[in-house]
Amino acid sequence: MDIAELLRRTRTIAVVGLSPRSTRTSYKIAVYLQEAGYTIVPVNPHRDELLGEQAYPSLLDIPDSISLDLVDVFRRPEFMEGVVREAIARRDRSGNNPVIWTQIGVSSFEAEELANEAGIPYIRNRCTLVEHSRLLT
């Protein structure tokens, strides 16, 4: 997959596991992505709003009217299969098939295999901030 092209055409990013704490990596990267012009859709079951955007408890709670280009995941590897299953269910319901992007250290072989079987592109162990700043700035 051409990551530079993916980042150029991406407009809306679901950030799964976005923390409200400004010291956390997920928060810093989401702020960077917002400042780069992306629309952020926070996914955090403990918050109604993050970074000025409505937050949702899960990918399945994001309205189908919101077309996601990328699902940027900041959850531990043991939760990745569940995130992929939600992405598959949301895709089947809405027709929207975003790329799943796992941050460094959060990928899981089983989740990647599940995504591949479902035809969902899966990027493993890469940082969106690093890749964006390296390829597009």
Side-chain angles (χ1 to χ4, degrees):
M1 171 170 289
D2 183 339
I3 292 189
E5 180 56 30
L6 169 65
L7 292 171
R8 270 191 216 83
R9 68 177 166 81
T10 291
R11 297 290 169 254
T12 305
I13 302 172
V15 182
V16 178
L18 177 55
S19 174
R21 290 184 243 154
S22 62
T23 57
R24 301 297 297 260
T25 302
S26 62
Y27 185 95
K28 291 175 184 177
I29 291 174
V31 167
Y32 172 88
L33 294 171
Q34 274 187 321
E35 291 174 353
Y38 297 105
T39 298
I40 298 301
V41 180
V43 178
N44 181 319
H46 307 293
R47 295 284 186 261
D48 294 327
E49 180 268 331
L50 284 163
L51 298 177
E53 300 288 345
Q54 180 175 347
Y56 298 91
S58 74
L59 289 174
L60 291 173
D61 293 304
I62 299 171
D64 293 345
S65 61
I66 298 174
S67 181
L68 301 174
D69 300 305
L70 195 68
V71 175
D72 196 2
V73 186
F74 291 87
R75 299 288 321 270
R76 292 191 314 260
E78 60 265 28
F79 296 109
M80 278 306 306
E81 274 189 83
V83 171
V84 171
R85 289 187 193 287
E86 285 182 11
I88 292 168
R90 187 174 189 279
R91 186 241 2 234
D92 292 348
R93 184 184 74 205
S94 71
N96 179 227
N97 194 35
V99 172
I100 295 175
W101 184 304
T102 64
Q103 289 291 323
I104 296 167
V106 304
S107 189
S108 115
F109 173 76
E110 295 81 11
E112 184 172 4
E113 192 171 77
L114 184 62
N116 289 333
E117 288 171 5
I120 296 178
Y122 187 98
I123 296 173
R124 125 173 75 86
N125 291 325
R126 289 204 147 155
C127 176
T128 45
L129 184 153
V130 169
E131 295 301 325
H132 182 274
S133 63
R134 180 176 73 85
L135 296 169
L136 300 183
T137 59

